[in-house]
Amino acid sequence: VQLQASGGGVVQAGGSLRLSCAASGSMFSRYNMGWFRQAPGKEREFVSGIARSSSRTDYADSVKGRFTISRDNDKKMVYLQMNSLKPEDTGIYYCAADWAISSAPIYSTTSQYDYWGQGTLVTVSS
């Protein structure tokens, strides 16, 4: 599967952005999907994940209550709605796909994901 992230930009603190991740290839619905981010000089970190059928979601503590992940398997899309953005949310955001059985957990480690998009830059100004 190939992934293409989009929707990044520059926003003031307190603002909102919606990231999209378009997937191509077959069997998109067989993948758990994740969003990760990487700030300058820092390691890539887990932001949010969603199970194959949207039955389960997971969030990093730092974004709980502010970000919402969703997916549309018919359109092969994953979204990340980001509200109440903070300067510390600045970074390159990547979507990733993890081939998973239906009961598989949503992983927060980069090594568990098989495919990655190219990233989209989010800059939150104070």
Side-chain angles (χ1 to χ4, degrees), residues 38-99:
Q38 188 166 16
K42 294 188 177 181
E43 292 187 353
R44 195 169 298 188
E45 64 175 1
F46 175 78
V47 175
S48 182
I50 187 166
R52 301 182 341 172
S53 61
S54 303
S55 58
R56 291 170 287 120
T57 58
D58 193 18
Y59 297 91
D61 288 342
S62 59
V63 307
K64 280 181 181 176
R66 300 188 298 121
F67 291 11
T68 303
I69 191 171
S70 61
R71 68 188 292 166
D72 185 331
N73 285 347
D74 291 335
K75 295 181 179 179
K76 297 183 182 179
M77 296 290 295
V78 181
Y79 306 98
L80 186 69
Q81 178 65 44
M82 305 187 297
N83 298 329
S84 303
L85 283 161
K86 303 176 181 180
E88 51 263 43
D89 294 318
T90 293
I92 301 174
Y93 282 70
Y94 300 89
C95 58
D98 168 32
W99 177 266

Short mmCIF file of all heavy atoms in Angstrom, two decimals, residues 38-99:
data_model
loop_
_atom_site.label_atom_id
_atom_site.label_comp_id
_atom_site.label_asym_id
_atom_site.label_seq_id
_atom_site.Cartn_x
_atom_site.Cartn_y
_atom_site.Cartn_z
N GLN A 38 7.04 14.03 14.02
CA GLN A 38 8.44 14.20 14.37
C GLN A 38 8.78 15.68 14.41
O GLN A 38 8.69 16.36 13.38
CB GLN A 38 9.34 13.47 13.37
CG GLN A 38 10.78 13.43 13.77
CD GLN A 38 11.59 12.43 12.97
OE1 GLN A 38 11.16 11.95 11.92
NE2 GLN A 38 12.75 12.06 13.47
N ALA A 39 9.15 16.14 15.58
CA ALA A 39 9.56 17.53 15.75
C ALA A 39 11.06 17.63 15.46
O ALA A 39 11.78 16.64 15.56
CB ALA A 39 9.25 17.99 17.16
N PRO A 40 11.52 18.82 15.12
CA PRO A 40 12.95 18.99 14.84
C PRO A 40 13.82 18.53 16.00
O PRO A 40 13.60 18.91 17.16
CB PRO A 40 13.08 20.50 14.62
CG PRO A 40 11.73 20.94 14.17
CD PRO A 40 10.76 20.06 14.90
N GLY A 41 14.77 17.67 15.70
CA GLY A 41 15.70 17.20 16.71
C GLY A 41 15.16 16.15 17.64
O GLY A 41 15.83 15.75 18.60
N LYS A 42 13.95 15.68 17.36
CA LYS A 42 13.33 14.68 18.24
C LYS A 42 13.00 13.42 17.45
O LYS A 42 12.96 13.42 16.23
CB LYS A 42 12.07 15.25 18.89
CG LYS A 42 12.34 16.39 19.84
CD LYS A 42 11.08 16.78 20.59
CE LYS A 42 11.35 17.86 21.61
NZ LYS A 42 10.12 18.23 22.38
N GLU A 43 12.75 12.36 18.19
CA GLU A 43 12.37 11.11 17.55
C GLU A 43 10.91 11.15 17.12
O GLU A 43 10.10 11.91 17.66
CB GLU A 43 12.60 9.94 18.52
CG GLU A 43 14.06 9.68 18.83
CD GLU A 43 14.27 8.42 19.65
OE1 GLU A 43 13.26 7.82 20.08
OE2 GLU A 43 15.43 8.02 19.84
N ARG A 44 10.61 10.30 16.18
CA ARG A 44 9.23 10.19 15.72
C ARG A 44 8.39 9.59 16.84
O ARG A 44 8.80 8.60 17.47
CB ARG A 44 9.17 9.31 14.47
CG ARG A 44 7.88 9.39 13.70
CD ARG A 44 8.01 8.70 12.35
NE ARG A 44 9.02 9.34 11.49
CZ ARG A 44 9.20 9.01 10.23
NH1 ARG A 44 8.44 8.08 9.65
NH2 ARG A 44 10.14 9.60 9.52
N GLU A 45 7.21 10.16 17.07
CA GLU A 45 6.37 9.69 18.17
C GLU A 45 4.96 9.41 17.70
O GLU A 45 4.44 10.02 16.76
CB GLU A 45 6.34 10.72 19.30
CG GLU A 45 5.70 12.04 18.94
CD GLU A 45 5.58 12.99 20.12
OE1 GLU A 45 6.01 12.64 21.24
OE2 GLU A 45 5.05 14.10 19.93
N PHE A 46 4.34 8.49 18.39
CA PHE A 46 2.96 8.11 18.11
C PHE A 46 2.01 9.24 18.50
O PHE A 46 2.15 9.85 19.56
CB PHE A 46 2.63 6.85 18.91
CG PHE A 46 1.20 6.40 18.82
CD1 PHE A 46 0.73 5.73 17.71
CD2 PHE A 46 0.32 6.65 19.87
CE1 PHE A 46 -0.58 5.29 17.64
CE2 PHE A 46 -0.98 6.22 19.82
CZ PHE A 46 -1.44 5.55 18.70
N VAL A 47 1.04 9.49 17.64
CA VAL A 47 0.01 10.48 17.91
C VAL A 47 -1.35 9.81 18.10
O VAL A 47 -2.02 10.03 19.11
CB VAL A 47 -0.08 11.50 16.76
CG1 VAL A 47 -1.25 12.47 16.99
CG2 VAL A 47 1.23 12.26 16.61
N SER A 48 -1.71 8.96 17.14
CA SER A 48 -3.02 8.33 17.20
C SER A 48 -3.06 7.12 16.28
O SER A 48 -2.28 7.03 15.34
CB SER A 48 -4.11 9.34 16.79
OG SER A 48 -5.39 8.77 16.88
N GLY A 49 -3.97 6.20 16.58
CA GLY A 49 -4.15 5.03 15.74
C GLY A 49 -5.60 4.61 15.71
O GLY A 49 -6.38 4.95 16.60
N ILE A 50 -5.94 3.86 14.66
CA ILE A 50 -7.31 3.41 14.50
C ILE A 50 -7.29 2.00 13.94
O ILE A 50 -6.50 1.67 13.06
CB ILE A 50 -8.11 4.38 13.60
CG1 ILE A 50 -9.59 4.02 13.56
CG2 ILE A 50 -7.52 4.44 12.19
CD1 ILE A 50 -10.46 5.12 12.96
N ALA A 51 -8.17 1.18 14.47
CA ALA A 51 -8.25 -0.21 14.02
C ALA A 51 -8.88 -0.31 12.65
O ALA A 51 -9.47 0.64 12.14
CB ALA A 51 -9.04 -1.03 15.04
N ARG A 52 -8.80 -1.50 12.07
CA ARG A 52 -9.25 -1.75 10.70
C ARG A 52 -10.67 -1.30 10.45
O ARG A 52 -10.97 -0.67 9.45
CB ARG A 52 -9.13 -3.24 10.39
CG ARG A 52 -7.76 -3.78 10.51
CD ARG A 52 -7.63 -5.24 10.15
NE ARG A 52 -8.83 -6.03 10.13
CZ ARG A 52 -8.88 -7.27 9.68
NH1 ARG A 52 -7.78 -7.85 9.22
NH2 ARG A 52 -10.00 -7.95 9.70
N SER A 53 -11.54 -1.64 11.40
CA SER A 53 -12.97 -1.35 11.21
C SER A 53 -13.42 -0.12 11.98
O SER A 53 -14.62 0.11 12.13
CB SER A 53 -13.79 -2.55 11.68
OG SER A 53 -13.56 -2.78 13.06
N SER A 54 -12.48 0.66 12.46
CA SER A 54 -12.76 1.85 13.27
C SER A 54 -13.34 1.51 14.64
O SER A 54 -13.83 2.40 15.34
CB SER A 54 -13.73 2.81 12.54
OG SER A 54 -13.22 3.19 11.29
N SER A 55 -13.28 0.25 15.02
CA SER A 55 -13.87 -0.17 16.29
C SER A 55 -13.08 0.32 17.50
O SER A 55 -13.62 0.43 18.60
CB SER A 55 -13.98 -1.69 16.33
OG SER A 55 -12.69 -2.27 16.15
N ARG A 56 -11.81 0.57 17.27
CA ARG A 56 -10.95 1.03 18.36
C ARG A 56 -10.06 2.17 17.87
O ARG A 56 -9.63 2.20 16.73
CB ARG A 56 -10.06 -0.10 18.87
CG ARG A 56 -10.82 -1.21 19.58
CD ARG A 56 -9.91 -2.42 19.84
NE ARG A 56 -9.63 -3.17 18.64
CZ ARG A 56 -8.42 -3.37 18.15
NH1 ARG A 56 -7.35 -2.83 18.74
NH2 ARG A 56 -8.25 -4.08 17.05
N THR A 57 -9.80 3.09 18.80
CA THR A 57 -8.86 4.17 18.53
C THR A 57 -7.94 4.33 19.73
O THR A 57 -8.25 3.86 20.84
CB THR A 57 -9.57 5.51 18.26
OG1 THR A 57 -10.39 5.84 19.39
CG2 THR A 57 -10.44 5.44 17.01
N ASP A 58 -6.83 4.98 19.51
CA ASP A 58 -5.89 5.23 20.59
C ASP A 58 -5.23 6.58 20.34
O ASP A 58 -5.06 6.98 19.18
CB ASP A 58 -4.84 4.12 20.65
CG ASP A 58 -4.04 4.15 21.94
OD1 ASP A 58 -4.49 4.78 22.92
OD2 ASP A 58 -2.95 3.55 21.97
N TYR A 59 -4.87 7.22 21.44
CA TYR A 59 -4.26 8.55 21.34
C TYR A 59 -3.11 8.68 22.32
O TYR A 59 -3.15 8.12 23.43
CB TYR A 59 -5.30 9.64 21.65
CG TYR A 59 -6.46 9.69 20.69
CD1 TYR A 59 -7.61 8.96 20.93
CD2 TYR A 59 -6.39 10.46 19.53
CE1 TYR A 59 -8.67 8.99 20.04
CE2 TYR A 59 -7.44 10.50 18.64
CZ TYR A 59 -8.59 9.76 18.90
OH TYR A 59 -9.63 9.80 18.02
N ALA A 60 -2.14 9.45 21.94
CA ALA A 60 -1.11 9.83 22.89
C ALA A 60 -1.75 10.75 23.93
O ALA A 60 -2.68 11.51 23.63
CB ALA A 60 0.03 10.56 22.17
N ASP A 61 -1.25 10.68 25.14
CA ASP A 61 -1.81 11.50 26.21
C ASP A 61 -1.78 12.98 25.86
O ASP A 61 -2.68 13.74 26.24
CB ASP A 61 -1.04 11.27 27.52
CG ASP A 61 -1.33 9.91 28.12
OD1 ASP A 61 -2.34 9.28 27.75
OD2 ASP A 61 -0.53 9.47 28.98
N SER A 62 -0.76 13.38 25.15
CA SER A 62 -0.58 14.80 24.83
C SER A 62 -1.65 15.35 23.88
O SER A 62 -1.79 16.57 23.78
CB SER A 62 0.81 15.02 24.23
OG SER A 62 0.96 14.26 23.05
N VAL A 63 -2.38 14.47 23.20
CA VAL A 63 -3.37 14.95 22.23
C VAL A 63 -4.80 14.53 22.57
O VAL A 63 -5.74 14.92 21.88
CB VAL A 63 -3.03 14.50 20.79
CG1 VAL A 63 -1.60 14.88 20.43
CG2 VAL A 63 -3.25 13.00 20.61
N LYS A 64 -4.95 13.74 23.61
CA LYS A 64 -6.30 13.29 23.99
C LYS A 64 -7.21 14.47 24.27
O LYS A 64 -6.83 15.43 24.93
CB LYS A 64 -6.22 12.40 25.23
CG LYS A 64 -5.80 10.98 24.94
CD LYS A 64 -5.76 10.14 26.22
CE LYS A 64 -5.30 8.72 25.91
NZ LYS A 64 -5.17 7.91 27.14
N GLY A 65 -8.41 14.38 23.72
CA GLY A 65 -9.38 15.45 23.90
C GLY A 65 -9.25 16.57 22.90
O GLY A 65 -10.13 17.44 22.81
N ARG A 66 -8.17 16.57 22.12
CA ARG A 66 -7.96 17.62 21.12
C ARG A 66 -7.95 17.07 19.70
O ARG A 66 -8.38 17.74 18.77
CB ARG A 66 -6.64 18.35 21.38
CG ARG A 66 -6.56 19.01 22.74
CD ARG A 66 -5.30 19.87 22.87
NE ARG A 66 -4.07 19.10 22.76
CZ ARG A 66 -3.13 19.31 21.84
NH1 ARG A 66 -3.26 20.28 20.95
NH2 ARG A 66 -2.02 18.57 21.82
N PHE A 67 -7.44 15.86 19.53
CA PHE A 67 -7.33 15.24 18.20
C PHE A 67 -8.34 14.12 18.07
O PHE A 67 -8.65 13.43 19.05
CB PHE A 67 -5.93 14.68 17.99
CG PHE A 67 -4.83 15.70 17.85
CD1 PHE A 67 -5.04 17.04 18.12
CD2 PHE A 67 -3.57 15.30 17.43
CE1 PHE A 67 -4.02 17.97 18.00
CE2 PHE A 67 -2.54 16.21 17.29
CZ PHE A 67 -2.77 17.54 17.59
N THR A 68 -8.82 13.92 16.85
CA THR A 68 -9.73 12.81 16.56
C THR A 68 -9.31 12.14 15.28
O THR A 68 -9.17 12.80 14.24
CB THR A 68 -11.18 13.31 16.43
OG1 THR A 68 -11.58 14.00 17.62
CG2 THR A 68 -12.13 12.14 16.18
N ILE A 69 -9.12 10.84 15.35
CA ILE A 69 -8.77 10.06 14.17
C ILE A 69 -10.01 9.37 13.62
O ILE A 69 -10.90 8.97 14.38
CB ILE A 69 -7.67 9.03 14.50
CG1 ILE A 69 -7.10 8.40 13.22
CG2 ILE A 69 -8.17 7.97 15.47
CD1 ILE A 69 -5.86 7.54 13.46
N SER A 70 -10.08 9.25 12.32
CA SER A 70 -11.19 8.54 11.68
C SER A 70 -10.69 7.96 10.36
O SER A 70 -9.61 8.31 9.89
CB SER A 70 -12.38 9.47 11.45
OG SER A 70 -12.02 10.55 10.59
N ARG A 71 -11.49 7.09 9.79
CA ARG A 71 -11.12 6.50 8.51
C ARG A 71 -12.37 6.20 7.70
O ARG A 71 -13.46 6.03 8.25
CB ARG A 71 -10.29 5.23 8.71
CG ARG A 71 -11.03 4.07 9.32
CD ARG A 71 -10.06 2.92 9.67
NE ARG A 71 -9.50 2.28 8.48
CZ ARG A 71 -8.46 1.46 8.52
NH1 ARG A 71 -7.86 1.18 9.67
NH2 ARG A 71 -8.00 0.90 7.41
N ASP A 72 -12.19 6.11 6.41
CA ASP A 72 -13.25 5.73 5.48
C ASP A 72 -12.66 4.65 4.58
O ASP A 72 -11.89 4.95 3.66
CB ASP A 72 -13.69 6.94 4.67
CG ASP A 72 -14.87 6.66 3.76
OD1 ASP A 72 -15.02 5.50 3.31
OD2 ASP A 72 -15.63 7.59 3.46
N ASN A 73 -13.00 3.42 4.86
CA ASN A 73 -12.40 2.31 4.11
C ASN A 73 -12.85 2.29 2.65
O ASN A 73 -12.09 1.86 1.77
CB ASN A 73 -12.73 0.98 4.78
CG ASN A 73 -11.91 0.77 6.04
OD1 ASN A 73 -10.94 1.49 6.29
ND2 ASN A 73 -12.31 -0.20 6.85
N ASP A 74 -14.04 2.75 2.37
CA ASP A 74 -14.50 2.79 0.98
C ASP A 74 -13.66 3.76 0.16
O ASP A 74 -13.37 3.51 -1.01
CB ASP A 74 -15.97 3.18 0.91
CG ASP A 74 -16.87 2.09 1.46
OD1 ASP A 74 -16.45 0.91 1.45
OD2 ASP A 74 -17.99 2.41 1.89
N LYS A 75 -13.27 4.86 0.76
CA LYS A 75 -12.46 5.87 0.07
C LYS A 75 -10.97 5.66 0.28
O LYS A 75 -10.16 6.38 -0.29
CB LYS A 75 -12.86 7.27 0.55
CG LYS A 75 -14.28 7.67 0.20
CD LYS A 75 -14.57 9.09 0.68
CE LYS A 75 -15.99 9.51 0.32
NZ LYS A 75 -16.29 10.88 0.81
N LYS A 76 -10.61 4.71 1.12
CA LYS A 76 -9.20 4.44 1.45
C LYS A 76 -8.54 5.70 2.02
O LYS A 76 -7.45 6.11 1.58
CB LYS A 76 -8.44 3.95 0.23
CG LYS A 76 -8.95 2.62 -0.32
CD LYS A 76 -8.10 2.15 -1.48
CE LYS A 76 -8.63 0.87 -2.08
NZ LYS A 76 -7.81 0.43 -3.24
N MET A 77 -9.20 6.28 2.99
CA MET A 77 -8.72 7.52 3.58
C MET A 77 -8.66 7.40 5.10
O MET A 77 -9.48 6.73 5.72
CB MET A 77 -9.64 8.69 3.23
CG MET A 77 -9.69 9.04 1.76
SD MET A 77 -8.16 9.77 1.15
CE MET A 77 -8.14 11.30 2.07
N VAL A 78 -7.69 8.09 5.68
CA VAL A 78 -7.58 8.24 7.12
C VAL A 78 -7.45 9.74 7.40
O VAL A 78 -6.76 10.45 6.67
CB VAL A 78 -6.37 7.50 7.70
CG1 VAL A 78 -6.32 7.67 9.22
CG2 VAL A 78 -6.43 6.04 7.34
N TYR A 79 -8.09 10.18 8.48
CA TYR A 79 -8.09 11.60 8.80
C TYR A 79 -7.62 11.82 10.24
O TYR A 79 -7.79 10.95 11.10
CB TYR A 79 -9.51 12.17 8.66
CG TYR A 79 -10.13 11.92 7.31
CD1 TYR A 79 -11.03 10.86 7.13
CD2 TYR A 79 -9.82 12.71 6.21
CE1 TYR A 79 -11.61 10.62 5.90
CE2 TYR A 79 -10.39 12.47 4.98
CZ TYR A 79 -11.29 11.43 4.82
OH TYR A 79 -11.85 11.18 3.60
N LEU A 80 -7.07 12.98 10.46
CA LEU A 80 -6.72 13.40 11.81
C LEU A 80 -7.20 14.83 11.98
O LEU A 80 -6.62 15.75 11.40
CB LEU A 80 -5.22 13.30 12.07
CG LEU A 80 -4.79 13.59 13.51
CD1 LEU A 80 -5.30 12.46 14.43
CD2 LEU A 80 -3.28 13.70 13.61
N GLN A 81 -8.28 14.99 12.74
CA GLN A 81 -8.78 16.31 13.05
C GLN A 81 -8.06 16.82 14.28
O GLN A 81 -8.11 16.19 15.33
CB GLN A 81 -10.29 16.25 13.31
CG GLN A 81 -10.91 17.59 13.70
CD GLN A 81 -10.85 18.60 12.59
OE1 GLN A 81 -11.13 18.29 11.43
NE2 GLN A 81 -10.51 19.84 12.92
N MET A 82 -7.40 17.96 14.13
CA MET A 82 -6.58 18.50 15.21
C MET A 82 -7.16 19.84 15.63
O MET A 82 -7.21 20.79 14.83
CB MET A 82 -5.14 18.66 14.75
CG MET A 82 -4.53 17.39 14.20
SD MET A 82 -2.77 17.53 13.84
CE MET A 82 -2.79 18.77 12.56
N ASN A 83 -7.63 19.91 16.86
CA ASN A 83 -8.20 21.14 17.40
C ASN A 83 -7.34 21.65 18.56
O ASN A 83 -6.52 20.93 19.11
CB ASN A 83 -9.62 20.89 17.89
CG ASN A 83 -10.55 20.46 16.78
OD1 ASN A 83 -10.39 20.85 15.62
ND2 ASN A 83 -11.53 19.63 17.11
N SER A 84 -7.56 22.89 18.92
CA SER A 84 -6.84 23.50 20.04
C SER A 84 -5.34 23.28 19.92
O SER A 84 -4.68 22.85 20.88
CB SER A 84 -7.36 22.94 21.38
OG SER A 84 -8.75 23.16 21.51
N LEU A 85 -4.82 23.54 18.77
CA LEU A 85 -3.41 23.26 18.51
C LEU A 85 -2.49 24.11 19.37
O LEU A 85 -2.80 25.27 19.69
CB LEU A 85 -3.10 23.47 17.03
CG LEU A 85 -3.58 22.33 16.12
CD1 LEU A 85 -3.67 22.77 14.68
CD2 LEU A 85 -2.67 21.12 16.25
N LYS A 86 -1.38 23.50 19.72
CA LYS A 86 -0.38 24.15 20.56
C LYS A 86 0.95 24.20 19.81
O LYS A 86 1.19 23.36 18.92
CB LYS A 86 -0.19 23.35 21.85
CG LYS A 86 -1.46 23.14 22.65
CD LYS A 86 -1.18 22.25 23.85
CE LYS A 86 -2.45 22.00 24.67
NZ LYS A 86 -2.19 21.12 25.84
N PRO A 87 1.83 25.12 20.16
CA PRO A 87 3.14 25.15 19.49
C PRO A 87 3.89 23.83 19.57
O PRO A 87 4.60 23.47 18.62
CB PRO A 87 3.87 26.26 20.26
CG PRO A 87 2.78 27.17 20.72
CD PRO A 87 1.64 26.27 21.05
N GLU A 88 3.69 23.10 20.64
CA GLU A 88 4.38 21.80 20.77
C GLU A 88 3.82 20.73 19.85
O GLU A 88 4.37 19.63 19.77
CB GLU A 88 4.36 21.31 22.22
CG GLU A 88 2.99 21.30 22.86
CD GLU A 88 2.73 22.56 23.69
OE1 GLU A 88 3.08 23.67 23.22
OE2 GLU A 88 2.18 22.41 24.80
N ASP A 89 2.74 21.02 19.14
CA ASP A 89 2.22 20.09 18.14
C ASP A 89 2.96 20.24 16.81
O ASP A 89 2.72 19.47 15.87
CB ASP A 89 0.74 20.33 17.90
CG ASP A 89 -0.12 20.00 19.12
OD1 ASP A 89 0.16 18.97 19.76
OD2 ASP A 89 -1.05 20.77 19.40
N THR A 90 3.84 21.19 16.72
CA THR A 90 4.60 21.43 15.49
C THR A 90 5.47 20.23 15.14
O THR A 90 6.11 19.64 16.01
CB THR A 90 5.49 22.67 15.64
OG1 THR A 90 4.65 23.82 15.75
CG2 THR A 90 6.41 22.85 14.45
N GLY A 91 5.46 19.88 13.87
CA GLY A 91 6.29 18.77 13.41
C GLY A 91 5.81 18.26 12.06
O GLY A 91 4.83 18.76 11.50
N ILE A 92 6.52 17.27 11.57
CA ILE A 92 6.09 16.58 10.36
C ILE A 92 5.21 15.42 10.78
O ILE A 92 5.62 14.60 11.62
CB ILE A 92 7.30 16.09 9.54
CG1 ILE A 92 8.19 17.26 9.15
CG2 ILE A 92 6.81 15.35 8.29
CD1 ILE A 92 9.47 16.84 8.46
N TYR A 93 4.04 15.34 10.20
CA TYR A 93 3.08 14.30 10.54
C TYR A 93 3.08 13.24 9.45
O TYR A 93 2.95 13.55 8.26
CB TYR A 93 1.69 14.90 10.71
CG TYR A 93 1.51 15.60 12.04
CD1 TYR A 93 2.18 16.80 12.31
CD2 TYR A 93 0.70 15.07 13.03
CE1 TYR A 93 2.06 17.42 13.53
CE2 TYR A 93 0.55 15.70 14.26
CZ TYR A 93 1.23 16.88 14.50
OH TYR A 93 1.08 17.51 15.72
N TYR A 94 3.20 11.99 9.90
CA TYR A 94 3.25 10.86 8.99
C TYR A 94 2.08 9.92 9.26
O TYR A 94 1.74 9.66 10.42
CB TYR A 94 4.53 10.07 9.19
CG TYR A 94 5.81 10.83 8.96
CD1 TYR A 94 6.43 11.53 9.99
CD2 TYR A 94 6.42 10.84 7.70
CE1 TYR A 94 7.61 12.22 9.78
CE2 TYR A 94 7.60 11.52 7.48
CZ TYR A 94 8.19 12.21 8.51
OH TYR A 94 9.36 12.89 8.30
N CYS A 95 1.50 9.41 8.19
CA CYS A 95 0.55 8.31 8.37
C CYS A 95 1.27 7.00 8.07
O CYS A 95 2.23 6.97 7.30
CB CYS A 95 -0.68 8.48 7.49
SG CYS A 95 -0.38 8.58 5.72
N ALA A 96 0.81 5.96 8.71
CA ALA A 96 1.46 4.66 8.59
C ALA A 96 0.43 3.55 8.63
O ALA A 96 -0.65 3.71 9.23
CB ALA A 96 2.47 4.49 9.72
N ALA A 97 0.78 2.43 8.01
CA ALA A 97 -0.14 1.29 7.92
C ALA A 97 0.50 0.05 8.52
O ALA A 97 1.67 -0.26 8.26
CB ALA A 97 -0.50 1.03 6.46
N ASP A 98 -0.28 -0.64 9.31
CA ASP A 98 0.16 -1.87 9.99
C ASP A 98 -0.77 -3.00 9.57
O ASP A 98 -1.95 -3.01 9.93
CB ASP A 98 0.12 -1.66 11.50
CG ASP A 98 0.28 -2.96 12.28
OD1 ASP A 98 1.00 -3.86 11.79
OD2 ASP A 98 -0.30 -3.07 13.38
N TRP A 99 -0.24 -3.97 8.83
CA TRP A 99 -1.04 -5.14 8.44
C TRP A 99 -1.43 -5.89 9.71
O TRP A 99 -0.56 -6.31 10.49
CB TRP A 99 -0.24 -6.04 7.52
CG TRP A 99 -0.96 -7.30 7.14
CD1 TRP A 99 -0.87 -8.52 7.74
CD2 TRP A 99 -1.89 -7.45 6.06
NE1 TRP A 99 -1.68 -9.41 7.11
CE2 TRP A 99 -2.32 -8.79 6.08
CE3 TRP A 99 -2.40 -6.58 5.10
CZ2 TRP A 99 -3.24 -9.29 5.16
CZ3 TRP A 99 -3.31 -7.08 4.18
CH2 TRP A 99 -3.72 -8.40 4.21
#
